[in-house]
Amino acid sequence: MKAENEQRTGLLYGFGAYGMWGLVPLFWPLLMPAGAVEILAHRMTWSLAVVGLALVAVRRWGWIRELLRQPRKLGLTALAASVISVNWGLYIWSVNNGHVVESSLGYFINPLVSIAMGVLVLGERLRRVQWMAVGISFVAVLVLAIGYGRPPWISLVLACSFATYGLIKKKLNMGGLESLAAETAMLFLPALGYLLWLGSQGESTFASQGAGHALLLAATGLVTAIPLVFFGAAAIRVPLSTLGLLQYMAPVFQFGLGVLYFHEAMPPERWAGFSLVWAALALLTWDALRTARRSRAAFAVAPAVAPAPAREPA
């Protein structure tokens, strides 16, 4: 009963995390007339404040000393901070400039890019169905490039940057709260310096657009931290396969908002490209579920067929 309650709680946290990530395109336009770089700088600055308060609440500080003693880990953390800055900044810019649908595509193809990186960087071997999914996604990108009249660069940069971020995080092996704290700590001074410079030039919107606007900019820290906390709570309570299925919630919501709320154009060639991506993801999901089912069955059978222990001599 306790395990079932934990899993149910984990599912709620997972729905909360991916639901918030899926609805976040509604938030960034509220911060205009602030530009994407100013919003990004506020996001970096206020995220550290929120994460710092969370660390104070849980009294988790020992990891800082350990991190400072490992130059390689510090370098990887700095690289992760740089990559996620590109991802955050481009996503904010794309939403506020009418590219919500194209940005959602980036998170649809992110699992496929992660698989490709696993092959190219980690030397992983793919099953036949996974190769089929990667091939279909490649055709989808070509179809979308024809439809857009250019490569879908927003989608590709978002997918590649987030997949790279995931790869670095895998090598870092740090908790979500700790890694976010380390990354935002490294971004804090450059971000704060940019905001102070922007204010000295009279171009900052933080003080010039009223208290409501300032509060919304400060809320970028909460918008960043709360879904990550929910995600961390879900990750320890539900199976990885379930979490993998939940991740599609965010781009589905983003795509729906782009088409239905922001009324972005979806000509037939874009529908064709998206349909190919969805077909590739359906193949991946089916293969993952089938593999997980076989693994569980093999694990259940293993004790039954295990050789009997040798009897001690009389």
Side-chain angles (χ1 to χ4, degrees), residues 242-255:
T242 304
L243 210 58
L245 291 174
L246 287 177
Q247 73 173 325
Y248 297 128
M249 275 182 61
V252 165
F253 281 13
Q254 292 163 10
F255 177 80

Side-chain angles (χ1 to χ4, degrees), residues 155-189:
S155 309
L156 294 173
V157 173
L158 286 174
C160 291
S161 59
F162 202 71
T164 303
Y165 180 68
L167 180 64
I168 298 168
K169 299 277 272 190
K170 184 179 178 68
K171 292 182 175 293
L172 271 172
N173 194 27
M174 289 175 64
L177 192 62
E178 292 88 343
S179 60
L180 182 62
E183 291 155 19
T184 50
M186 290 183 171
L187 298 169
F188 178 77
L189 287 179

Side-chain angles (χ1 to χ4, degrees), residues 68-105:
L68 293 174
R69 289 175 180 169
Q70 301 181 60
R72 180 178 175 275
K73 233 177 181 181
L74 274 173
L76 285 173
T77 302
L79 184 59
S82 302
V83 171
I84 200 61
S85 298
V86 172
N87 184 274
W88 285 356
L90 179 58
Y91 184 71
I92 293 166
W93 178 88
S94 63
V95 169
N96 285 357
N97 285 272
H99 299 285
V100 176
V101 168
E102 192 174 349
S103 66
S104 76
L105 176 64

Side-chain angles (χ1 to χ4, degrees), residues 232-246:
I236 62 175
R237 289 176 170 87
V238 298
L240 193 61
S241 57
T242 304
L243 210 58
L245 291 174
L246 287 177

